[in-house]
Amino acid sequence: MEKLVIHGGNRLFGEVEISGAKNAAVAIIPATLLAQDVCRLENIPNISDVSCMVKILSQMGAEVKYINKHTIEINTKSVNSYIVPHEMTRQLRASYYLIGALLGRYNRAKVALPGGCNFGVRPMDLHIRGFELLGANAVVENAMINATADHLTGSPIYMDKVSVGATINIMLAAVKARGLTIIENAAKEPHIVDLANFLNAMGADVRGAGTDVIKIHGVQSLHGCTYSIIPDQIEAGTYMVAAAASGGDVIVKNVIPKHLESITAKMIECGVEITEYDDAVRVKSNGEFKRCNLKTMPHPGFPTDMQPQMAVLLSIAKGTSVVSEGVWDNRFKYLDQLIRMGANVQVDGTIAVIQGVPELTGAPVRADDLRAGAAMIIAGLAASGITEIEDIIYIDRGYEDYVEKLRNLGADIYRKEIKENNVGFNAG
Ligand code: UD1
């Protein structure tokens, strides 16, 4: 096991290249099940969530060829099972996309309930209701979702709540259903559009992705294609906040600035200087920040997956900021770690009141989940002294080569092996 050690206080300077989007990749890889042909995927991020999803497909019988670090070819023709057991799904939240993809391919799916980041109850009722409206019988039994249909039929589906996962799962199941599916109140995240583009490149007929209403005309079959995944909005946002919190000057490259608008707007409100280019943003800061209020919402609102990182910036801003978490019920657990570093925070349900302090101080902390871990890194970079972060396995799930990327920007950060007999502060 490893931990991260950060000697804080270095300003970040230079350029950083953003990888392909995790949340697009983990939806597009299972979508290859629908084609039974060779799909060549480019700009795939080299992170453990992706290798986990690829491994699941190859364990199911798919032929997977790594062309290089960021390009894979997947042929799912020889997959011959619609069952995915717990051993395969437990590490990965996005394994639930296998339900929609297998249902679309076989009219059957039996997939163990997923693992992944834990920030409160993560229900799947909207996914199940969507499958049922398409004509499947879907039940949870023995911690598995078992969905079966004679055939799937397109249907109007109104989503009571905006859900990224349910929108994607319904899209996967509906592309080969008979007739027209209309998803209303659909999620609009950039990776929903990316998945729709990928499905269309395979011969699907999906329109309206990126708006509230997605229309899917079912097609009989899909074919292989070559597709390049969009840059990761959240990885980009994380480096933007890291650059700012360190008082640095960084060009974040290979991004789609439009996807970053809600993040950019908030950072500008905090006094950070941001310049947009065609496929890059420059972030410049003198290390002094103004307070602001923040509410996370589905896209195009401020992303919940950037809430912990932004909270770190607000913890060293002048004045009091109010952060409202509008997507998840329980996403402030990591603030206990930030408090260990000197932050002044009060939490009441889904609201955190952050009274800015002049500086954070290094401490031993842990990564409670992927984005919480990213926030701890940012805090460690901005803090004085040494920060040690445990449970970094969560961070490895979603950020490619982050230690190298940060070191290239001038950060003093490295991995250190935790010795077996070295009992961590959070053991037991
Ligand atoms: C995805 C992202 C996650 C991000 C989240 C919101 C992936 C792999 N994960 O998660 O990083 O934080 O979007 O942007 O892409 N809900 C229900 N019933 C359901 C499904 C969801 O009530 O059937 C609720 C959830 O409890 C939550 C809200 O809807 O309060 C949004 O969840 P959802 O958009 O589905 O998140 P995920 O797709 O799981």
Side-chain angles (χ1 to χ4, degrees):
M1 253 199 320
E2 288 178 325
K3 64 180 171 184
L4 285 177
V5 182
I6 304 173
H7 293 251
N10 289 7
R11 295 181 163 206
L12 302 186
F13 284 100
E15 296 181 350
V16 62
E17 190 85 25
I18 296 308
S19 301
K22 168 179 99 72
N23 288 349
V26 295
I28 285 173
I29 293 166
T32 62
L33 280 164
L34 294 160
Q36 307 188 40
D37 194 358
V38 180
C39 292
R40 184 185 172 102
L41 302 178
E42 299 169 351
N43 203 31
I44 286 276
N46 187 23
I47 51 176
S48 68
D49 262 13
V50 162
S51 45
C52 192
M53 185 60 96
V54 170
K55 194 168 154 204
I56 294 175
L57 281 196
S58 65
Q59 283 172 337
M60 292 172 74
E63 282 169 31
V64 178
K65 200 152 96 188
Y66 276 87
I67 307 300
N68 58 45
K69 192 174 169 189
H70 296 124
T71 305
I72 48 172
E73 281 183 0
I74 304 177
N75 186 350
T76 60
K77 195 168 181 201
S78 45
V79 170
N80 55 15
S81 169
Y82 58 87
I83 299 172
V84 190
H86 175 71
E87 304 80 78
M88 294 191 197
T89 65
R90 71 192 161 87
Q91 284 171 15
L92 182 66
R93 182 76 201 157
S95 54
Y96 56 30
Y97 293 142
L98 292 160
I99 311 168
L102 288 167
L103 202 52
R105 173 159 167 168
Y106 293 114
N107 293 326
R108 293 205 73 165
K110 195 170 177 189
V111 179
L113 290 170
C117 275
N118 177 18
F119 26 81
V121 181
R122 299 186 72 166
M124 291 196 58
D125 54 307
L126 297 169
H127 304 236
I128 289 174
R129 198 174 142 270
F131 299 143
E132 285 181 336
L133 286 168
L134 293 173
N137 174 34
V139 286
V140 178
E141 46 190 26
N142 305 323
M144 294 188 99
I145 294 193
N146 191 1
T148 50
D150 289 337
H151 61 265
L152 298 171
T153 310
S155 163
I157 299 176
Y158 181 83
M159 313 283 285
D160 296 338
K161 195 169 181 180
V162 178
S163 161
V164 174
T167 301
I168 288 179
N169 240 338
I170 293 167
M171 286 166 75
L172 293 170
V175 274
K176 286 169 77 181
R178 295 180 192 169
L180 174 66
T181 297
I182 303 177
I183 308 175
E184 294 204 55
N185 200 24
K188 296 179 280 199
E189 269 65 7
H191 46 289
I192 303 269
V193 180
D194 210 34
L195 173 69
N197 289 339
F198 172 68
L199 293 171
N200 288 340
M202 289 199 297
D205 184 351
V206 180
R207 299 174 198 196
T211 75
D212 294 319
V213 183
I214 300 178
K215 292 187 179 167
I216 304 167
H217 285 270
V219 295
Q220 281 205 328
S221 65
L222 298 174
H223 51 74
C225 67
T226 295
Y227 191 79
S228 182
I229 286 173
I230 52 166
D232 197 303
Q233 173 205 29
I234 305 299
E235 188 198 13
T238 302
Y239 282 99
M240 289 168 71
V241 177
S246 77
D249 183 354
V250 170
I251 298 181
V252 182
K253 293 173 78 177
N254 184 32
V255 300
I256 299 175
K258 178 119 191 79
H259 294 169
L260 302 172
E261 276 172 354
S262 60
I263 302 165
T264 303
K266 273 295 149 194
M267 291 181 68
I268 291 173
E269 205 179 320
C270 290
V272 180
E273 211 180 295
I274 296 186
T275 318
E276 281 184 12
Y277 302 97
D278 285 349
D279 62 355
V281 287
R282 179 176 178 181
V283 179
K284 202 172 161 191
S285 146
N286 60 6
E288 289 186 6
F289 308 105
K290 296 184 227 163
R291 46 116 2 233
C292 79
N293 293 340
L294 182 76
K295 183 169 171 65
T296 68
M297 284 190 285
H299 191 81
F302 190 89
T304 171
D305 287 356
M306 280 300 299
Q307 180 257 102
Q309 301 89 315
M310 238 353 238
V312 174
L313 196 76
L314 298 177
S315 76
I316 49 172
K318 279 204 182 76
T320 304
S321 305
V322 178
V323 177
S324 318
E325 175 51 56
V327 178
W328 298 106
D329 292 338
N330 185 11
R331 204 170 187 175
F332 285 135
K333 201 170 140 218
Y334 73 92
L335 286 172
D336 288 344
Q337 306 299 311
L338 201 57
I339 289 167
R340 293 167 62 87
M341 299 179 69
N344 184 350
V345 183
Q346 307 257 325
V347 177
D348 186 1
T350 55
I351 302 216
V353 178
I354 304 178
Q355 170 78 57
V357 293
E359 74 163 6
L360 297 173
T361 47
V365 292
R366 66 165 183 261
D368 279 318
D369 61 56
L370 168 60
R371 308 303 172 186
M376 288 307 118
I377 294 180
I378 296 171
L381 294 171
S384 62
I386 300 174
T387 296
E388 298 195 346
I389 308 175
E390 292 196 359
D391 293 342
I392 60 170
I393 187 164
Y394 287 110
I395 312 175
D396 298 338
R397 283 183 39 206
Y399 288 93
E400 177 173 333
D401 294 342
Y402 57 93
V403 171
E404 293 72 15
K405 288 184 185 186
L406 287 167
R407 287 180 69 85
N408 279 341
L409 294 173
D412 187 344
I413 176 172
Y414 56 91
R415 290 172 187 266
K416 189 172 175 185
E417 194 66 32
I418 302 175
K419 292 196 187 90
E420 292 272 314
N421 59 358
N422 178 3
V423 180
F425 79 96
N426 61 347

